[in-house]
Amino acid sequence: MELEKKYTNKTSLTHRKEFAQFFTPQPIANLMSDWLLGNKSLKTVLEPAFGLGIFSRTLLSKQDKLKIKGFDIDETILNEARLYFKSQKNVSLNLEDYMYNDWKNKYDGIICNPPYLKFHDYDNKQILQEVENKLKFKFNGFTNLYTLFLLKSIFQLKKDGRAAYIIPSEFLNSDYGKLVKQYLLKTKTLRHLFVIDFKENVFDDAMTTASILLLANDKNNSEINISTIDSKSDLQLIDTYIKSYPKEKGEFTFKLNDLDPNIKWRKYYQLQNSINYKNLVPFSTYAKVVRGIATGANDYFTFKESKAKEFSIPKENLLPCICKAKDVKGNFFTESDYKNLAKNNELAYLFDGQNSKNKSVLDYIEKGVKEEVNEKYLTKSRKPWYSLENRPPAPIWVSVFNRNGVKFIRNEARISNLTTFHCVYPTNSNLFSKINNDLLFAYLLTDVAKEIFSDNRREYGNGLKKFEPNDLNKSKMLDLSTLTESQVDRILELYSKFKKSKNEKFINGIDEILRLEFTIAKSHTHLQFAPANAKPKIAKEYAFANATN
């Protein structure tokens, strides 16, 4: 990795992030290269996101007669690679966008660590159209670029060809990933999926988890293996699988028809907490979750008291709003908390200039036009551009990101919120109805609620977890309607004591009531394990049966 270290030291992080340059660790490059070399007919290799060519360097150190083609759009990094490979006449490097080039060529081996760009960070409409036209397959408009690299590479595999990709595991459990998984099943090319779940990041500067996909265009296409890699020492499992392919199985082996592309694939490789409980209903039974207000230009729309005075914006044109997650400390956000926020000159308002004839407001709108705020991605689609999304204050907020379990906040100040929180609207007609909302919120504070919600989380690096609104809407929760009147009274009593004292023992008391009522007695009927051919690294229970039901 000396080449990568030298490049990193002399190239700014800004430049590397612009081109999504996160280098593959050498041990992983070795394993991925070995998968390609397992194809005895390997002669031609494609490296679609070449960078400094760690895969090509690794392959050539083991088999120097390979003919390699590489693509990259960053001239800076490609010039460095050309210096290294200048004596290699069998390596062809192209300063071109892989997604628009080379569609007609097929390869014996394709190996890649593609750029980690989300749909809004590249020209997704044009590239998506290119991919859909070539593959004759429709994909989601929010599809991230790294999965499009993968799909194109599958299309370019020769008969008996192999591909190895390392990409974020996010697509396994996201909405846009449904069609990606559907294409993987349709092409019957995925042989082994390794989900890397290290406690540390795989890539130093990338906040992401990773997965390694080993693919082949061969006749061994009736099964898909899935394994989890929990530590660097577990990487030897990949080596074992590669050396004995196709005989060696993964932790879990599935027939193609067993895998449903429409669900989160976490259910196929991770313990599901919800299987421990009875009487579950979708969270949407009791509440609806939507994202907070997206302004498209927070610097322009968010206000402090001092900024309001600077531009003489009257109070009627300022919407009280929580703008940053750090400004909410506990589980209850009160009117007093909000007043202190505004008093301390923190961001506490959103500019709302719609229908105003106030000269200062009109001047501020004109200022936005001069600064081209009206031409930003979100603002240019709104009429007028400075209008705010219609989001009535939600009685409950939920954190978007978390490390220690999803966090719910009671919005007693009844103010609006930006996208730092999602809005939770209980399904009863009166949004601030005391009993229904108190019971629901008391439940949301418990560990049992967090456990069940965690089944639907999305994971990033360093233990960071995220929930999109639909992740929560589709999550399960305990059916509170099955509680007896005495149980409800006791829960509300404990909740009231917690609200006054902030002592967690009262929430633990609520948790205990719920577990006693809803936990399934553990017996051979209710314990759900991985399938008989599973080979877990350590003894643990899996929700395999739940995942396939």
Side-chain angles (χ1 to χ4, degrees):
M1 298 288 290
E2 281 301 316
L3 202 60
E4 283 74 18
K5 287 180 181 178
K6 289 179 181 178
Y7 178 82
T8 300
N9 288 337
K10 68 179 182 180
T11 308
S12 71
L13 180 60
T14 301
H15 179 88
R16 287 183 281 126
K17 282 190 173 182
E18 178 185 353
F19 291 97
Q21 294 168 349
F22 303 108
F23 300 117
T24 310
Q26 187 65 59
I28 292 177
N30 288 337
L31 293 166
M32 293 170 64
S33 298
D34 286 344
W35 172 248
L36 264 64
L37 292 167
N39 176 9
K40 302 307 177 186
S41 302
L42 186 68
K43 294 179 181 177
T44 59
V45 174
L46 171 68
E47 191 170 346
F50 198 81
L52 296 170
I54 188 168
F55 296 119
S56 294
R57 283 153 35 207
T58 304
L59 285 164
L60 289 170
S61 70
K62 301 179 180 186
Q63 189 170 320
D64 60 5
K65 301 298 183 185
L66 297 174
K67 185 177 180 181
I68 296 176
K69 181 185 283 189
F71 287 88
D72 210 290
I73 61 171
D74 177 24
E75 187 171 10
T76 300
I77 201 167
L78 204 61
N79 284 338
E80 293 288 331
R82 281 173 173 156
L83 283 174
Y84 182 89
F85 288 97
K86 62 182 178 181
S87 62
Q88 296 279 358
K89 295 182 179 180
N90 55 338
V91 177
S92 167
L93 300 183
N94 302 272
L95 185 62
E96 294 176 321
D97 190 332
Y98 169 65
M99 295 308 302
Y100 294 108
N101 292 279
D102 205 48
W103 279 94
K104 293 182 179 179
N105 292 318
K106 305 279 186 179
Y107 296 88
D108 300 317
I110 303 176
I111 189 165
C112 190
N113 171 7
Y116 290 5
L117 294 177
K118 295 184 179 296
F119 72 95
H120 47 65
D121 294 326
Y122 71 96
D123 183 13
N124 74 311
K125 288 186 178 179
Q126 191 171 345
I127 291 179
L128 201 60
Q129 185 176 7
E130 177 89 357
V131 173
E132 289 177 345
N133 289 342
K134 298 291 186 181
L135 301 187
K136 311 299 181 188
F137 199 89
K138 189 73 175 174
F139 294 99
N140 186 300
F142 298 102
T143 304
N144 291 338
L145 184 61
Y146 44 81
T147 52
L148 296 181
F149 265 68
L150 169 67
L151 300 171
K152 181 175 184 244
S153 292
I154 291 172
F155 178 78
Q156 291 186 268
L157 273 183
K158 280 185 180 179
K159 186 178 181 299
D160 293 323
R162 293 188 181 189
Y165 258 73
I166 180 166
I167 60 176
S169 57
E170 173 189 297
F171 82 99
L172 299 170
N173 304 299
S174 65
D175 290 335
Y176 80 83
K178 292 176 183 177
L179 290 168
V180 176
K181 292 178 288 187
Q182 191 174 325
Y183 188 78
L184 287 171
L185 296 175
K186 177 189 173 185
T187 57
K188 301 181 180 181
T189 51
L190 181 59
R191 298 292 171 266
H192 209 129
L193 167 64
F194 292 94
V195 182
I196 299 177
D197 192 19
F198 293 172
K199 297 304 179 187
E200 66 272 20
N201 280 341
V202 177
F203 304 102
D204 291 339
D205 301 315
M207 187 60 71
T208 182
T209 53
S211 59
I212 295 175
L213 283 71
L214 303 183
L215 307 105
N217 187 19
D218 59 23
K219 63 183 180 181
N220 302 304
N221 59 8
S222 62
E223 296 177 337
I224 291 177
N225 293 281
I226 301 179
S227 297
T228 55
I229 305 294
D230 299 323
S231 65
K232 291 180 180 179
S233 62
D234 286 340
L235 290 173
Q236 63 182 343
L237 297 172
I238 304 178
D239 182 56
T240 300
Y241 173 79
I242 291 171
K243 286 178 179 176
S244 58
Y245 175 79
K247 294 180 180 179
E248 184 72 14
K249 303 299 181 183
E251 278 188 271
F252 309 108
T253 300
F254 300 91
K255 299 293 183 184
L256 290 181
N257 291 337
D258 290 339
L259 295 169
D260 181 356
N262 297 308
I263 67 171
K264 295 180 187 298
W265 277 15
R266 178 182 295 108
K267 293 186 177 182
Y268 295 128
Y269 58 83
Q270 277 186 356
L271 174 68
Q272 297 292 286
N273 295 312
S274 60
I275 65 168
N276 296 315
Y277 302 98
K278 60 185 179 181
N279 295 338
L280 296 173
V281 295
F283 184 60
S284 57
T285 303
Y286 283 96
K288 181 180 180 181
V289 183
V290 299
R291 65 166 172 76
I293 296 173
T295 68
N298 283 353
D299 288 344
Y300 176 82
F301 284 98
T302 56
F303 269 72
K304 302 177 179 181
E305 291 279 359
S306 58
K307 184 178 176 182
K309 289 180 182 177
E310 178 185 354
F311 293 100
S312 301
I313 305 298
K315 276 290 192 286
E316 57 263 29
N317 296 107
L318 294 172
L319 180 71
C321 183
I322 193 73
C323 300
K324 295 183 178 180
K326 71 175 183 64
D327 293 331
V328 180
K329 307 300 182 184
N331 293 114
F332 299 89
F333 190 81
T334 66
E335 287 187 45
S336 175
D337 292 328
Y338 176 71
K339 288 178 180 178
N340 286 334
L341 205 63
K343 182 181 177 181
N344 293 331
N345 200 34
E346 298 289 346
L347 292 173
Y349 305 99
L350 288 184
F351 175 67
D352 182 8
Q354 197 165 8
N355 301 322
S356 177
K357 295 181 180 179
N358 180 282
K359 184 179 183 304
S360 295
V361 172
L362 296 176
D363 287 345
Y364 191 71
I365 292 172
E366 182 60 29
K367 178 179 184 294
V369 173
K370 288 179 180 177
E371 295 174 355
E372 297 185 340
V373 177
N374 59 317
E375 294 298 323
K376 290 183 176 290
Y377 181 77
L378 289 181
T379 55
K380 68 181 179 182
S381 64
R382 297 200 297 255
K383 292 183 180 180
W385 65 267
Y386 50 84
S387 62
L388 296 176
E389 291 180 313
N390 182 23
R391 291 282 192 284
I396 298 172
W397 298 327
V398 56
S399 58
V400 178
F401 291 98
N402 69 84
R403 294 187 188 278
N404 301 309
V406 62
K407 180 181 179 181
F408 291 88
I409 299 99
R410 192 69 179 267
N411 174 22
E412 295 187 335
R414 303 189 185 192
I415 64 171
S416 299
N417 58 286
L418 291 184
T419 55
T420 189
F421 293 106
H422 296 318
C423 306
V424 181
Y425 298 105
T427 52
N428 54 66
S429 57
N430 182 356
L431 290 181
F432 288 90
S433 169
K434 182 177 185 297
I435 295 180
N436 287 341
N437 283 4
D438 282 354
L439 180 62
L440 175 62
F441 191 66
Y443 166 77
L444 295 176
L445 294 177
T446 63
D447 285 342
V448 65
K450 294 175 184 177
E451 285 176 19
I452 297 172
F453 278 124
S454 72
D455 287 349
N456 246 25
R457 69 191 183 277
R458 303 181 187 206
E459 294 178 336
Y460 295 81
N462 280 347
L464 187 66
K465 301 172 182 66
K466 181 183 181 183
F467 287 92
E468 295 289 1
N470 273 342
D471 296 334
L472 293 163
N473 286 325
K474 294 177 182 179
S475 289
K476 300 293 185 181
M477 69 168 285
L478 305 182
D479 188 355
L480 303 180
S481 70
T482 64
L483 292 169
T484 65
E485 188 174 338
S486 62
Q487 288 172 324
V488 170
D489 289 343
R490 178 59 178 153
I491 288 172
L492 291 177
E493 179 187 356
L494 290 168
Y495 170 72
S496 179
K497 289 180 178 179
F498 170 72
K499 188 175 178 181
K500 290 177 182 177
S501 68
K502 303 301 185 292
N503 191 324
E504 288 291 332
K505 72 178 183 180
F506 297 114
I507 297 301
N508 294 338
I510 297 172
D511 195 86
E512 185 177 346
I513 292 171
L514 296 173
R515 289 182 190 276
L516 286 172
E517 176 64 26
F518 291 95
T519 299
I520 296 173
K522 291 199 172 185
S523 68
H524 70 278
T525 304
H526 298 115
L527 285 178
Q528 301 190 47
F529 294 87
N533 59 2
K535 295 167 43 176
K537 297 181 291 297
I538 58 174
K540 55 184 175 180
E541 299 167 12
Y542 281 85
F544 173 75
N546 185 60
T548 54
N549 285 340

